[in-house]
Amino acid sequence: MASSLTALLGIARDGAVAQQAALQTTGENIANASTPGYVRRAVVMSARSGFPNGPGGVDVTRTTRAFDGFVTRRVLDEQGKLSAGQSREGALAQIQGIVAPETGSVGDQIEALAVAFQQLVGFPGDLAVRGNVLSKAESVAQTFHDTAASLLGQRDDLFRNAQGVASDLNQRLVAIGDLNAKIAQAKDSPDGGAGLRDQRDQLVREVGQRIGARVVEDPSTGAWTLFGGGTVLIDAERVSSVDVGLDPTGNLQIQARRPGGALIDMTTKVVEGSLGGLREARDTDLVSAQTKLDALAFDFASSINVAHSAGFGLDGVSGRPLFATSATATGAAYAMTLDPAVAGRPGRLAASATAIDVPGGNGAALSIVKTFDANLPTSGLPPRDTFAALGADIGTRLSSASAEIELRQGTLGQVDSLRESQSGVSVEEEMVDLTRFQRAFEASIKVLRTVDELLDQLIQSKR
Amino acid sequence: MRITENMRVSSAVATQQRMAERVQRATEVASSGARVGKASDDPSAWATGQTHAGRSAAAKARSKVLDRAASDLEVAEGALASAVDVMARARAIATQMANGSMDAATRKNAAIEVDALRDQLLGLANTQGGAGYVFGGTKTDVPPFTPGYAFVGNTGTRAAEIAPGTTLVTNLSGARAFTTAGGRDPFADLGALATALRTNAVAGITAAIDTTEAGRRQLSDVRSDAGLTLERARSASEVLGNLALQLDKARAGELEADAAPAFTELKNASDAYDRSLTVTKQILSLSSLAR
């Protein structure tokens, strides 16, 4: 009889200990209800077999994390795409502000020059009107130059941004490598290194935001192999770093530097995360805008120059271009200026088609005016419409990037909800558990007291 | 599905963010009146707006050029009307002085008037408009007729665009009006009349009746052409002005927001934001433990 009561005493003690562990885990869940990356824990209890020594008690066999690898991978996937869209959208908004500002754009200046030349048609010999044409032409050249310079500056900024992202990324890769080592050591601890795993989950998500990440877990060590940009960035504790530089053409070159120093070019594979977004914005969207702006500047200047060179200034001299720019379209916008022979000399502006028609002839001015309505060779559109197409192209890229962000936010919201639903902390649930475990704990204590009283009565009866 | 604290908060914050963005956008549209401010708002409408703006500015500029040309044509037409009167007066003098009852002294006095008429005609031939001497062809910076009545202008034309690729000649040929290029040289004819009057040469005076009439007709023909060109310039200017208005209207249709729907959206967005704020406060002040 006494031995049965003693066994019961042990069972009650184990029950109290198990419920206390459960209460502790519940408290931990509640405390971390809002902690980013925290995965809900649960204590797994199992009934201890009492055979052959009578009734069994309870054991806390392990603490589990409500972690779902599939959902986590989906979150990482969507996070990488969303971050790419957000980075690209930010850069495109800047590009749009440079190329197609609400006032003072290249298109506005071209329009102002067209109006000035129309005035010259009316008053070909008027020096004030000629001065206005030169002033507007200078504004066109200056605006082309400023726009091209701002785009070049924006390209430099995006390069520095990409380097900053790579620096942040590398810090996180190193931290994940350290955590992999610690997790391997804590694998057999009661909670299996749950806190370390939470930290790693969060860091991996942050890596995904920067480059897009995929993870594969080694079940034997619990270590994660992390892929980013189409290559292995972390293999257990071996951590690569990401270098961002420029290739000979000036485009971003993104390389993984292996622990031994070997370099793996992963540029074209970096399509996700903020690095992927910055790369697309810098080396695709911005380059497209630069190329189209240069083509517009070159074609526009060339067509005006042809008509202007055929005309005669008030001094009866012909053959002068109005604009000076590069020999080819490349860099034409940046290089554009007023031709030095004409700059500051309104009388040299060609308005007459023949020397004999000076100063009242306007044949050349009319020819120049017609170039504003004529199609340019590269775009197949008149200058103003070519600018409109350039602005619309950037606007379309930006609005589609925004639409993609909206889509990705919706998808990420769904998979995040799914992840939260499985791994997040519901305070209501935890409160119920708190009450449940508290009552179980109290009941175990009650058993202890009861056994104690029974033993006491047994001892008294023996006396 | 389990609902967690983070899900509640994330959902509330995301909704609040969307509502705030909606209010922001509705405020921008209602306060600026512009549905499309940036290319990304509506790339197609923005591009159309840019194209319309360019074409409208070009139409307005062409219209202005034509208005100014019309102004000079009006000046030229007025000068030619006066020139016609001058020649009519010269013909009247010739007719009157050809009468056998006139004596030599009266004819000498009439010669003085004819000389004055010739100087008046010279002044009219050297009339200036906004773009210089209106009868100088394209040589607009110097008087086209010298004090000796020699034509030093040219027959160059100055045109204005009435539509892309279509032009209208907006200046007049002084040569055709005032020199033998038009058939008669009115200055020479007036000079011959004055000489005939001064020398009491009745035959010369009689001959001047026809030559001054021919000169009057010549000037009148050029004046008619000027009037016709003036009307065409005015008409083209009006058409271009209307075109610019239509393009501006079309551009506004593409880019501007209707006031009533814009303010309705602002009101709806503000209401939705307030409601969302109330719900968010409830959710954030949660949890079920606090209620």
Side-chain angles (χ1 to χ4, degrees), chain A residues 408-457:
Chain A
R408 298 292 173 201
Q409 277 174 334
T411 315
L412 180 62
Q414 283 178 355
V415 290
D416 238 351
S417 291
L418 196 59
R419 191 195 74 84
E420 265 296 317
S421 174
Q422 293 179 358
S423 305
V425 175
S426 163
V427 172
E428 288 89 343
E429 268 183 14
E430 300 300 330
M431 295 310 295
V432 170
D433 282 350
L434 199 64
T435 307
R436 187 160 60 96
F437 296 135
Q438 183 189 6
R439 290 182 68 80
F441 179 82
E442 285 170 359
S444 293
I445 297 298
K446 180 75 177 167
V447 173
L448 271 176
R449 282 200 194 116
T450 305
V451 173
D452 185 41
E453 282 169 16
L454 286 172
L455 281 171
D456 197 33
Q457 285 171 15

Short mmCIF file of all heavy atoms in Angstrom, two decimals, chain A residues 408-457:
data_model
loop_
_atom_site.label_atom_id
_atom_site.label_comp_id
_atom_site.label_asym_id
_atom_site.label_seq_id
_atom_site.Cartn_x
_atom_site.Cartn_y
_atom_site.Cartn_z
N ARG A 408 2.00 41.16 -55.77
CA ARG A 408 2.91 40.44 -54.86
C ARG A 408 2.51 40.67 -53.41
O ARG A 408 2.63 39.77 -52.58
CB ARG A 408 4.36 40.88 -55.08
CG ARG A 408 4.91 40.59 -56.45
CD ARG A 408 5.06 39.10 -56.69
NE ARG A 408 5.43 38.83 -58.07
CZ ARG A 408 5.26 37.68 -58.67
NH1 ARG A 408 4.69 36.67 -58.04
NH2 ARG A 408 5.63 37.52 -59.92
N GLN A 409 2.08 41.90 -53.12
CA GLN A 409 1.66 42.17 -51.74
C GLN A 409 0.47 41.31 -51.37
O GLN A 409 0.39 40.78 -50.25
CB GLN A 409 1.29 43.67 -51.57
CG GLN A 409 2.52 44.53 -51.31
CD GLN A 409 2.22 46.01 -51.29
OE1 GLN A 409 1.25 46.45 -51.91
NE2 GLN A 409 3.05 46.78 -50.61
N GLY A 410 -0.46 41.16 -52.34
CA GLY A 410 -1.62 40.31 -52.09
C GLY A 410 -1.21 38.87 -51.87
O GLY A 410 -1.65 38.21 -50.92
N THR A 411 -0.32 38.37 -52.74
CA THR A 411 0.11 36.97 -52.63
C THR A 411 0.91 36.77 -51.35
O THR A 411 0.71 35.79 -50.62
CB THR A 411 0.99 36.59 -53.84
OG1 THR A 411 0.38 37.07 -55.00
CG2 THR A 411 1.17 35.10 -53.93
N LEU A 412 1.83 37.71 -51.08
CA LEU A 412 2.63 37.60 -49.86
C LEU A 412 1.74 37.67 -48.62
O LEU A 412 1.95 36.93 -47.66
CB LEU A 412 3.70 38.69 -49.82
CG LEU A 412 4.61 38.68 -48.59
CD1 LEU A 412 5.41 37.38 -48.52
CD2 LEU A 412 5.57 39.87 -48.60
N GLY A 413 0.73 38.53 -48.70
CA GLY A 413 -0.21 38.64 -47.59
C GLY A 413 -0.87 37.29 -47.32
O GLY A 413 -1.04 36.87 -46.17
N GLN A 414 -1.24 36.60 -48.40
CA GLN A 414 -1.91 35.30 -48.25
C GLN A 414 -0.97 34.26 -47.64
O GLN A 414 -1.34 33.58 -46.68
CB GLN A 414 -2.40 34.81 -49.60
CG GLN A 414 -3.66 35.50 -50.07
CD GLN A 414 -4.11 35.02 -51.43
OE1 GLN A 414 -3.44 34.23 -52.07
NE2 GLN A 414 -5.25 35.51 -51.87
N VAL A 415 0.25 34.16 -48.20
CA VAL A 415 1.15 33.13 -47.68
C VAL A 415 1.64 33.51 -46.28
O VAL A 415 1.88 32.64 -45.43
CB VAL A 415 2.35 32.84 -48.62
CG1 VAL A 415 1.88 32.14 -49.86
CG2 VAL A 415 3.14 34.07 -48.94
N ASP A 416 1.76 34.82 -46.02
CA ASP A 416 2.14 35.26 -44.68
C ASP A 416 1.05 34.90 -43.68
O ASP A 416 1.32 34.50 -42.55
CB ASP A 416 2.38 36.78 -44.69
CG ASP A 416 3.79 37.11 -44.22
OD1 ASP A 416 4.50 36.20 -43.74
OD2 ASP A 416 4.19 38.29 -44.32
N SER A 417 -0.21 35.06 -44.13
CA SER A 417 -1.33 34.69 -43.25
C SER A 417 -1.30 33.20 -42.98
O SER A 417 -1.55 32.75 -41.85
CB SER A 417 -2.66 35.06 -43.90
OG SER A 417 -2.79 36.44 -43.95
N LEU A 418 -0.98 32.45 -44.03
CA LEU A 418 -0.90 31.00 -43.88
C LEU A 418 0.22 30.64 -42.89
O LEU A 418 0.04 29.80 -42.00
CB LEU A 418 -0.61 30.38 -45.25
CG LEU A 418 -0.85 28.89 -45.40
CD1 LEU A 418 -2.29 28.55 -45.09
CD2 LEU A 418 -0.51 28.45 -46.82
N ARG A 419 1.36 31.32 -43.05
CA ARG A 419 2.49 31.06 -42.14
C ARG A 419 2.11 31.45 -40.71
O ARG A 419 2.35 30.71 -39.75
CB ARG A 419 3.71 31.87 -42.58
CG ARG A 419 5.00 31.49 -41.88
CD ARG A 419 6.06 32.54 -42.08
NE ARG A 419 5.81 33.73 -41.28
CZ ARG A 419 6.16 33.88 -40.00
NH1 ARG A 419 6.78 32.91 -39.37
NH2 ARG A 419 5.85 34.98 -39.36
N GLU A 420 1.47 32.63 -40.60
CA GLU A 420 1.07 33.10 -39.27
C GLU A 420 0.05 32.15 -38.66
O GLU A 420 0.07 31.86 -37.46
CB GLU A 420 0.44 34.50 -39.39
CG GLU A 420 1.42 35.64 -39.14
CD GLU A 420 1.97 35.65 -37.72
OE1 GLU A 420 1.18 35.44 -36.79
OE2 GLU A 420 3.18 35.83 -37.55
N SER A 421 -0.85 31.68 -39.55
CA SER A 421 -1.90 30.78 -39.07
C SER A 421 -1.30 29.51 -38.47
O SER A 421 -1.81 28.96 -37.50
CB SER A 421 -2.81 30.44 -40.23
OG SER A 421 -3.75 29.48 -39.85
N GLN A 422 -0.18 29.07 -39.06
CA GLN A 422 0.44 27.84 -38.57
C GLN A 422 1.48 28.10 -37.50
O GLN A 422 1.61 27.33 -36.56
CB GLN A 422 1.07 27.09 -39.75
CG GLN A 422 0.02 26.58 -40.70
CD GLN A 422 0.63 25.86 -41.89
OE1 GLN A 422 1.84 25.77 -42.01
NE2 GLN A 422 -0.22 25.35 -42.74
N SER A 423 2.22 29.18 -37.65
CA SER A 423 3.37 29.38 -36.76
C SER A 423 3.20 30.52 -35.78
O SER A 423 3.98 30.64 -34.83
CB SER A 423 4.62 29.70 -37.61
OG SER A 423 4.83 28.69 -38.55
N GLY A 424 2.22 31.38 -36.01
CA GLY A 424 2.07 32.55 -35.15
C GLY A 424 1.39 32.23 -33.83
O GLY A 424 0.88 31.14 -33.61
N VAL A 425 1.41 33.23 -32.97
CA VAL A 425 0.85 33.05 -31.63
C VAL A 425 -0.54 33.67 -31.59
O VAL A 425 -0.72 34.84 -31.92
CB VAL A 425 1.74 33.75 -30.58
CG1 VAL A 425 1.10 33.66 -29.20
CG2 VAL A 425 3.13 33.11 -30.58
N SER A 426 -1.52 32.85 -31.18
CA SER A 426 -2.86 33.37 -30.94
C SER A 426 -2.99 33.55 -29.43
O SER A 426 -2.95 32.58 -28.66
CB SER A 426 -3.92 32.39 -31.45
OG SER A 426 -5.16 32.70 -30.87
N VAL A 427 -3.15 34.78 -29.00
CA VAL A 427 -3.19 35.05 -27.55
C VAL A 427 -4.37 34.34 -26.91
O VAL A 427 -4.28 33.81 -25.78
CB VAL A 427 -3.22 36.57 -27.30
CG1 VAL A 427 -3.46 36.86 -25.82
CG2 VAL A 427 -1.91 37.20 -27.74
N GLU A 428 -5.51 34.31 -27.65
CA GLU A 428 -6.68 33.63 -27.10
C GLU A 428 -6.39 32.16 -26.80
O GLU A 428 -6.70 31.65 -25.73
CB GLU A 428 -7.87 33.72 -28.08
CG GLU A 428 -8.49 35.09 -28.18
CD GLU A 428 -7.83 35.95 -29.23
OE1 GLU A 428 -6.71 35.64 -29.67
OE2 GLU A 428 -8.43 36.94 -29.61
N GLU A 429 -5.76 31.51 -27.79
CA GLU A 429 -5.40 30.11 -27.60
C GLU A 429 -4.47 29.94 -26.41
O GLU A 429 -4.63 29.04 -25.58
CB GLU A 429 -4.65 29.59 -28.85
CG GLU A 429 -5.52 28.97 -29.89
CD GLU A 429 -4.67 28.44 -31.05
OE1 GLU A 429 -3.43 28.32 -30.90
OE2 GLU A 429 -5.27 28.16 -32.07
N GLU A 430 -3.51 30.83 -26.33
CA GLU A 430 -2.52 30.71 -25.25
C GLU A 430 -3.18 30.93 -23.89
O GLU A 430 -2.81 30.30 -22.90
CB GLU A 430 -1.37 31.72 -25.46
CG GLU A 430 -0.60 31.55 -26.76
CD GLU A 430 0.07 30.19 -26.92
OE1 GLU A 430 0.45 29.58 -25.89
OE2 GLU A 430 0.18 29.71 -28.07
N MET A 431 -4.17 31.84 -23.86
CA MET A 431 -4.87 32.08 -22.59
C MET A 431 -5.64 30.83 -22.16
O MET A 431 -5.69 30.49 -20.99
CB MET A 431 -5.83 33.27 -22.71
CG MET A 431 -5.15 34.60 -22.97
SD MET A 431 -3.79 34.98 -21.83
CE MET A 431 -4.67 35.12 -20.31
N VAL A 432 -6.23 30.18 -23.15
CA VAL A 432 -6.96 28.94 -22.85
C VAL A 432 -5.97 27.89 -22.34
O VAL A 432 -6.21 27.21 -21.32
CB VAL A 432 -7.70 28.43 -24.10
CG1 VAL A 432 -8.26 27.02 -23.87
CG2 VAL A 432 -8.83 29.39 -24.47
N ASP A 433 -4.84 27.78 -23.04
CA ASP A 433 -3.80 26.83 -22.62
C ASP A 433 -3.30 27.15 -21.22
O ASP A 433 -3.06 26.27 -20.40
CB ASP A 433 -2.61 26.86 -23.59
CG ASP A 433 -2.92 26.08 -24.87
OD1 ASP A 433 -3.97 25.39 -24.89
OD2 ASP A 433 -2.15 26.20 -25.84
N LEU A 434 -3.15 28.46 -20.99
CA LEU A 434 -2.66 28.90 -19.67
C LEU A 434 -3.57 28.39 -18.56
O LEU A 434 -3.13 27.82 -17.56
CB LEU A 434 -2.61 30.44 -19.66
CG LEU A 434 -1.75 31.13 -18.62
CD1 LEU A 434 -0.28 30.79 -18.82
CD2 LEU A 434 -1.93 32.65 -18.71
N THR A 435 -4.86 28.57 -18.83
CA THR A 435 -5.85 28.11 -17.84
C THR A 435 -5.81 26.59 -17.71
O THR A 435 -5.83 26.04 -16.60
CB THR A 435 -7.26 28.55 -18.27
OG1 THR A 435 -7.22 29.95 -18.51
CG2 THR A 435 -8.30 28.24 -17.22
N ARG A 436 -5.70 25.92 -18.87
CA ARG A 436 -5.70 24.46 -18.89
C ARG A 436 -4.52 23.90 -18.09
O ARG A 436 -4.66 23.04 -17.23
CB ARG A 436 -5.64 23.99 -20.35
CG ARG A 436 -5.79 22.51 -20.57
CD ARG A 436 -6.21 22.25 -22.02
NE ARG A 436 -5.23 22.74 -22.98
CZ ARG A 436 -4.28 21.99 -23.53
NH1 ARG A 436 -4.15 20.73 -23.18
NH2 ARG A 436 -3.46 22.50 -24.41
N PHE A 437 -3.34 24.46 -18.40
CA PHE A 437 -2.13 23.94 -17.73
C PHE A 437 -2.12 24.32 -16.26
O PHE A 437 -1.63 23.59 -15.41
CB PHE A 437 -0.86 24.46 -18.44
CG PHE A 437 -0.72 23.99 -19.86
CD1 PHE A 437 -0.36 24.85 -20.88
CD2 PHE A 437 -0.98 22.65 -20.19
CE1 PHE A 437 -0.24 24.41 -22.18
CE2 PHE A 437 -0.85 22.20 -21.50
CZ PHE A 437 -0.49 23.08 -22.50
N GLN A 438 -2.67 25.53 -15.98
CA GLN A 438 -2.74 25.96 -14.56
C GLN A 438 -3.61 24.99 -13.76
O GLN A 438 -3.23 24.55 -12.68
CB GLN A 438 -3.32 27.38 -14.50
CG GLN A 438 -3.38 27.94 -13.09
CD GLN A 438 -4.15 29.26 -13.05
OE1 GLN A 438 -4.73 29.69 -14.04
NE2 GLN A 438 -4.14 29.89 -11.89
N ARG A 439 -4.75 24.64 -14.36
CA ARG A 439 -5.65 23.72 -13.66
C ARG A 439 -5.02 22.33 -13.52
O ARG A 439 -5.13 21.68 -12.47
CB ARG A 439 -6.99 23.61 -14.39
CG ARG A 439 -7.80 24.88 -14.30
CD ARG A 439 -9.15 24.74 -14.99
NE ARG A 439 -10.02 23.80 -14.30
CZ ARG A 439 -10.74 24.10 -13.20
NH1 ARG A 439 -10.70 25.31 -12.68
NH2 ARG A 439 -11.50 23.20 -12.62
N ALA A 440 -4.33 21.90 -14.55
CA ALA A 440 -3.66 20.59 -14.48
C ALA A 440 -2.57 20.62 -13.41
O ALA A 440 -2.37 19.65 -12.67
CB ALA A 440 -3.07 20.24 -15.84
N PHE A 441 -1.86 21.76 -13.36
CA PHE A 441 -0.82 21.90 -12.35
C PHE A 441 -1.43 21.85 -10.95
O PHE A 441 -0.95 21.13 -10.06
CB PHE A 441 -0.08 23.25 -12.56
CG PHE A 441 1.00 23.51 -11.55
CD1 PHE A 441 2.28 22.94 -11.71
CD2 PHE A 441 0.77 24.31 -10.43
CE1 PHE A 441 3.28 23.20 -10.78
CE2 PHE A 441 1.77 24.56 -9.51
CZ PHE A 441 3.04 24.00 -9.68
N GLU A 442 -2.53 22.60 -10.76
CA GLU A 442 -3.22 22.63 -9.46
C GLU A 442 -3.70 21.22 -9.10
O GLU A 442 -3.62 20.79 -7.94
CB GLU A 442 -4.41 23.59 -9.51
CG GLU A 442 -3.98 25.05 -9.46
CD GLU A 442 -5.14 25.99 -9.75
OE1 GLU A 442 -6.27 25.51 -10.00
OE2 GLU A 442 -4.91 27.20 -9.74
N ALA A 443 -4.19 20.50 -10.12
CA ALA A 443 -4.68 19.16 -9.87
C ALA A 443 -3.56 18.23 -9.42
O ALA A 443 -3.72 17.41 -8.50
CB ALA A 443 -5.35 18.61 -11.13
N SER A 444 -2.39 18.38 -10.05
CA SER A 444 -1.24 17.56 -9.66
C SER A 444 -0.84 17.85 -8.22
O SER A 444 -0.52 16.95 -7.44
CB SER A 444 -0.06 17.83 -10.59
OG SER A 444 -0.34 17.37 -11.88
N ILE A 445 -0.88 19.15 -7.88
CA ILE A 445 -0.55 19.54 -6.50
C ILE A 445 -1.56 18.94 -5.54
O ILE A 445 -1.22 18.47 -4.44
CB ILE A 445 -0.51 21.08 -6.37
CG1 ILE A 445 0.61 21.66 -7.27
CG2 ILE A 445 -0.32 21.53 -4.92
CD1 ILE A 445 2.00 21.20 -6.92
N LYS A 446 -2.85 18.93 -5.99
CA LYS A 446 -3.92 18.37 -5.16
C LYS A 446 -3.65 16.88 -4.91
O LYS A 446 -3.82 16.37 -3.81
CB LYS A 446 -5.26 18.56 -5.89
CG LYS A 446 -6.48 18.02 -5.15
CD LYS A 446 -6.87 18.90 -3.99
CE LYS A 446 -8.14 18.39 -3.32
NZ LYS A 446 -8.34 19.05 -2.02
N VAL A 447 -3.21 16.20 -5.99
CA VAL A 447 -2.88 14.77 -5.85
C VAL A 447 -1.76 14.59 -4.83
O VAL A 447 -1.81 13.73 -3.94
CB VAL A 447 -2.47 14.16 -7.21
CG1 VAL A 447 -1.96 12.73 -7.06
CG2 VAL A 447 -3.66 14.18 -8.17
N LEU A 448 -0.76 15.50 -4.96
CA LEU A 448 0.37 15.45 -4.00
C LEU A 448 -0.12 15.57 -2.56
O LEU A 448 0.26 14.81 -1.68
CB LEU A 448 1.35 16.59 -4.30
CG LEU A 448 2.47 16.31 -5.31
CD1 LEU A 448 3.27 17.58 -5.55
CD2 LEU A 448 3.38 15.21 -4.82
N ARG A 449 -1.02 16.58 -2.36
CA ARG A 449 -1.53 16.82 -1.00
C ARG A 449 -2.33 15.62 -0.52
O ARG A 449 -2.21 15.20 0.63
CB ARG A 449 -2.45 18.07 -1.01
CG ARG A 449 -1.67 19.37 -1.04
CD ARG A 449 -2.55 20.52 -0.56
NE ARG A 449 -1.94 21.77 -0.90
CZ ARG A 449 -2.43 22.67 -1.73
NH1 ARG A 449 -3.61 22.46 -2.28
NH2 ARG A 449 -1.78 23.77 -1.97
N THR A 450 -3.15 15.09 -1.42
CA THR A 450 -4.00 13.94 -1.05
C THR A 450 -3.15 12.74 -0.65
O THR A 450 -3.38 12.10 0.39
CB THR A 450 -4.92 13.56 -2.23
OG1 THR A 450 -5.64 14.72 -2.62
CG2 THR A 450 -5.89 12.45 -1.86
N VAL A 451 -2.12 12.45 -1.49
CA VAL A 451 -1.23 11.33 -1.19
C VAL A 451 -0.54 11.58 0.15
O VAL A 451 -0.39 10.69 0.99
CB VAL A 451 -0.20 11.12 -2.31
CG1 VAL A 451 0.83 10.08 -1.94
CG2 VAL A 451 -0.91 10.73 -3.60
N ASP A 452 -0.14 12.86 0.33
CA ASP A 452 0.53 13.23 1.58
C ASP A 452 -0.37 12.95 2.78
O ASP A 452 0.04 12.38 3.79
CB ASP A 452 0.91 14.72 1.50
CG ASP A 452 1.72 15.15 2.70
OD1 ASP A 452 2.59 14.38 3.13
OD2 ASP A 452 1.46 16.26 3.22
N GLU A 453 -1.68 13.34 2.61
CA GLU A 453 -2.62 13.12 3.71
C GLU A 453 -2.81 11.62 3.96
O GLU A 453 -2.86 11.16 5.10
CB GLU A 453 -3.98 13.76 3.37
CG GLU A 453 -3.97 15.26 3.58
CD GLU A 453 -5.22 15.91 3.00
OE1 GLU A 453 -6.20 15.19 2.73
OE2 GLU A 453 -5.19 17.14 2.79
N LEU A 454 -2.92 10.86 2.84
CA LEU A 454 -3.11 9.40 2.98
C LEU A 454 -1.93 8.76 3.69
O LEU A 454 -2.09 7.92 4.57
CB LEU A 454 -3.29 8.76 1.59
CG LEU A 454 -4.65 9.02 0.92
CD1 LEU A 454 -4.63 8.51 -0.52
CD2 LEU A 454 -5.76 8.32 1.71
N LEU A 455 -0.76 9.19 3.29
CA LEU A 455 0.45 8.64 3.92
C LEU A 455 0.48 8.99 5.40
O LEU A 455 0.83 8.17 6.25
CB LEU A 455 1.71 9.20 3.23
CG LEU A 455 2.08 8.54 1.88
CD1 LEU A 455 3.19 9.33 1.19
CD2 LEU A 455 2.51 7.10 2.10
N ASP A 456 0.05 10.23 5.67
CA ASP A 456 0.02 10.69 7.06
C ASP A 456 -0.93 9.82 7.88
O ASP A 456 -0.62 9.37 8.99
CB ASP A 456 -0.43 12.16 7.07
CG ASP A 456 -0.10 12.83 8.38
OD1 ASP A 456 0.94 12.47 8.99
OD2 ASP A 456 -0.89 13.72 8.79
N GLN A 457 -2.14 9.58 7.27
CA GLN A 457 -3.14 8.75 7.96
C GLN A 457 -2.60 7.33 8.16
O GLN A 457 -2.81 6.71 9.20
CB GLN A 457 -4.43 8.70 7.13
CG GLN A 457 -5.22 9.98 7.23
CD GLN A 457 -6.37 10.01 6.23
OE1 GLN A 457 -6.75 8.99 5.68
NE2 GLN A 457 -6.92 11.21 6.06
#
